[in-house]
Amino acid sequence: MRIDMRGIAKRFGAVQALDGVDLEIPPGEVLALLGENGAGKSTLMKLLLGIYGPDSGEIQIDGTPTAIRDPKHAVSCGIGMVFQNFSLFPALSVRDNLRLAKPGLGWWLQRRDVDAALDHLTALAPGIEPSRPVYSLTVGECQMVELAKVLSSGASTVILDEPTSVLLPPEVERLYGFIRDLKASGRSVVLISHKLADVSAVADRIVVMRRGKVVDRARVDERTVEELVEGMVGTADTGQLDELPAPADIPLLQVRSLQAPGLKAVDFEVYRGEVLGIAGVSGNGQKALADALAGVLPVTHGDIVLDGISIARAADGMPDARVAYLPEAPRQNAVAEGLSNSLNLLLRRLPYLPRLPRWGTETANARTLLETFDVRPPVPEMATGQLSGGNLQKLVIARELSGQPDLVVACYPTMGLDVAACHAVYTALFAHARRGAAVVWFSEDLDDLQKYAHRIAVMNSGSLAGILNRSEATRQRLGELMATQHRNAA
């Protein structure tokens, strides 16, 4: 199946999201759709999926003009998409979620399609049992379930939105192999990604978007990494960050024999001005530790002491104003999607305001924050749920990092962000360490952890396998600590 999009334009209020975009998706090809956050990539694909209608332009399928009415119509046309935001029911099993993807079929046809989806899922993630509830899955495993749903629909064109941003290295390699199999079978794959490693691994051709327009098209081997980065972000600063100074000898954060659901007697200290990186295989207590540090998860034993004061058990149940928290999955855990950008930016300060806020002042402050942190569009009145994943992430970062916290807990803060946005986030995050705050930074990017963190701790089965200085934290040593986790868990 061949898809051609011609002269596609889309406007949201005063924002021109797409401006005369042409895109060709031939069969048997992997197309990498590149661009910074807010470039229009996801909007373009949502038009192809029938979520939005174009203001102007035309979509052709095998040469026939086609007005795609809604996502159900898109599926019937052979188009499927795996979004960054999953549509799974956490309380139901994997099998039941796959059944719900086929609501209109009789039991025999439904069973056939669910079995086909489970076959795809086994190839992608062999360890996922169909009876497991979705809430017990890691984010990467949820991604695989969503992909299995799309593949079972028989899609000829499969759109993957940042598919490797939540996957572990073995899962990434399996996904690469699956994409190659889809290509070999004559299907098309559109890969929306900020990771140039994904592009070089599986893509045949690249299309680069910036500010709602296509600015480059080429075969993958016709562009260098530097040329792709420049095409995506123009002249934005994406260079090396300055070396962080050595931390002070004064512990600012002390975690003492900490126990909570998912944690087993965790002990460590973070010094003033220190960036402590937290590494480990996903699902080994990282989220529980982050939630406990931020006051979200109740502590059952031990203590968390920040600058001499316990923050493990606030009597009023309020989060500590001195702690900034960038949680995993910010759309689910950090914003109220139905509220405006302005209100979501105010949520951090709202419990501590002495009086009702003055909305004119707050709107002006919100606009300044949105522009400073490059949230697109920078519209305070816009509902936060309308932002793309990357821009919603930047809004949460703007709210949490614009103050003067003593402790910053950052979970995968650059996940799904483009090169320029990653540089800006690291600059803002490490600025707090430079002024003397303690930064606890959870990441699965070992290269970045080795480059920037003063020390790296590895989590295994709810506890710490070890804490290494930067000079000791080789990939081999980190890998050994992670492998120990598997032996201990077995």
Side-chain angles (χ1 to χ4, degrees):
M1 181 175 76
R2 179 184 177 89
I3 296 174
D4 293 279
M5 306 181 78
R6 301 296 184 199
I8 300 295
K10 183 66 178 178
R11 177 182 290 274
F12 297 98
V15 179
Q16 187 71 48
L18 297 171
D19 188 5
V21 174
D22 293 337
L23 188 72
E24 301 82 34
I25 309 173
E29 180 182 83
V30 180
L31 170 67
L33 188 57
L34 308 178
E36 59 186 336
N37 299 113
K41 310 179 302 296
S42 295
T43 299
L44 184 64
M45 292 299 98
K46 287 177 180 178
L47 285 166
L48 184 57
L49 205 66
I51 294 174
Y52 305 136
D55 296 336
S56 61
E58 184 178 73
I59 298 173
Q60 297 179 3
I61 298 179
D62 289 332
T64 301
T66 305
I68 301 177
R69 299 183 298 273
D70 51 41
K72 184 176 180 180
H73 184 205
V75 170
S76 70
C77 292
I79 303 167
M81 182 169 179
V82 179
F83 293 92
Q84 284 181 277
N85 306 311
F86 307 139
S87 57
L88 301 174
F89 293 90
L92 299 182
S93 69
V94 170
R95 185 185 297 275
D96 285 341
N97 269 277
L98 294 175
R99 283 197 185 104
L100 288 175
K102 306 288 183 180
L105 297 181
W107 73 271
W108 176 254
L109 293 175
Q110 186 185 68
R111 178 179 176 180
R112 180 201 63 188
D113 283 11
V114 169
D115 287 345
L118 289 173
D119 288 342
H120 290 304
L121 184 59
T122 299
L124 288 163
I128 299 179
E129 291 293 332
S131 59
R132 279 180 64 184
V134 164
Y135 68 75
S136 71
L137 303 180
T138 67
V139 178
E141 289 172 332
C142 289
Q143 174 94 296
M144 295 304 188
V145 175
E146 289 281 18
L147 180 54
K149 281 168 55 178
V150 168
L151 293 174
S152 69
S153 70
S156 299
T157 297
V158 179
I159 306 163
L160 304 176
D161 192 1
E162 299 289 349
T164 63
S165 63
V166 295
L167 300 184
L168 299 173
E171 294 171 327
V172 170
E173 289 303 321
R174 280 197 294 272
L175 179 63
Y176 286 166
F178 217 80
I179 290 173
R180 295 185 188 106
D181 290 343
L182 291 174
K183 172 187 169 181
S185 69
R187 299 196 227 191
S188 312
V189 178
V190 180
L191 180 66
I192 303 173
S193 182
H194 296 114
K195 294 187 177 182
L196 298 183
D198 296 346
V199 177
S200 60
V202 294
D204 301 300
R205 190 165 54 92
I206 59 102
V207 169
V208 181
M209 295 184 67
R210 190 164 73 235
R211 306 284 175 145
K213 296 183 178 182
V214 172
V215 296
D216 193 18
R217 310 170 190 272
R219 303 290 301 177
V220 169
D221 57 7
E222 295 174 347
R223 295 290 183 269
T224 65
V225 170
E226 292 74 18
E227 287 171 335
L228 290 176
V229 171
E230 184 176 353
M232 286 191 287
V233 302
T235 57
D237 185 6
T238 60
Q240 180 74 17
L241 295 168
D242 293 336
E243 181 79 11
L244 285 167
D249 293 330
I250 307 168
L252 181 58
L253 175 70
Q254 296 172 299
V255 178
R256 300 169 177 166
S257 301
L258 184 66
Q259 294 183 32
L263 295 177
K264 306 172 186 174
V266 175
D267 285 276
F268 64 91
E269 295 180 339
V270 186
Y271 295 85
R272 288 189 179 275
E274 182 179 23
V275 176
L276 176 67
I278 307 288
V281 177
S282 178
N284 279 273
Q286 294 96 317
K287 185 178 185 301
L289 177 58
D291 284 348
L293 292 176
V296 176
L297 183 68
V299 171
T300 57
H301 182 76
D303 206 355
I304 302 168
V305 179
L306 180 61
D307 200 15
I309 300 173
S310 174
I311 62 172
R313 300 180 184 88
D316 57 3
M318 296 290 289
D320 195 288
R322 298 172 298 159
V323 181
Y325 187 30
L326 305 175
E328 182 180 344
R331 189 177 293 272
Q332 288 76 38
N333 300 318
V335 299
E337 291 192 78
L339 298 183
S340 67
N341 291 333
S342 183
L343 278 171
N344 272 292
L345 287 169
L346 183 62
L347 289 179
R348 156 64 66 179
R349 296 186 293 115
L350 197 57
Y352 308 102
L353 291 177
R355 54 177 171 75
L356 290 175
R358 295 180 178 177
W359 295 116
T361 301
E362 293 302 331
T363 298
N365 291 340
R367 184 172 287 106
T368 298
L369 276 179
L370 295 171
E371 292 173 350
T372 300
F373 284 82
D374 195 30
V375 180
R376 302 179 191 174
V379 180
E381 302 83 6
M382 178 181 179
T384 295
Q386 295 179 5
L387 294 176
S388 68
N391 282 291
L392 185 145
Q393 172 88 331
K394 288 192 283 186
L395 179 140
V396 175
I397 289 166
R399 183 184 69 209
E400 299 296 317
L401 299 188
S402 59
Q404 298 284 305
D406 292 327
L407 170 63
V408 180
V409 182
C411 296
Y412 320 107
T414 60
M415 183 177 292
L417 297 184
D418 59 67
V419 178
C422 288
H423 185 273
V425 169
Y426 284 155
T427 299
L429 182 65
F430 301 150
H432 289 286
R434 295 181 191 279
R435 66 171 181 79
V439 176
V440 182
W441 170 31
F442 295 77
S443 178
E444 291 178 354
D445 191 325
L446 294 184
D447 291 334
D448 280 0
L449 287 174
Q450 290 171 309
K451 191 183 301 181
Y452 300 122
H454 293 102
R455 293 183 296 154
I456 302 176
V458 176
M459 292 207 70
N460 88 28
S461 300
S463 60
L464 294 184
I467 302 178
L468 306 176
N469 293 322
R470 184 185 297 175
S471 60
E472 304 171 309
T474 63
R475 293 185 73 89
Q476 180 179 355
R477 183 68 183 123
L478 292 170
E480 288 172 355
L481 292 173
M482 294 180 190
T484 300
Q485 177 261 327
H486 288 297
R487 288 197 295 271
N488 290 344

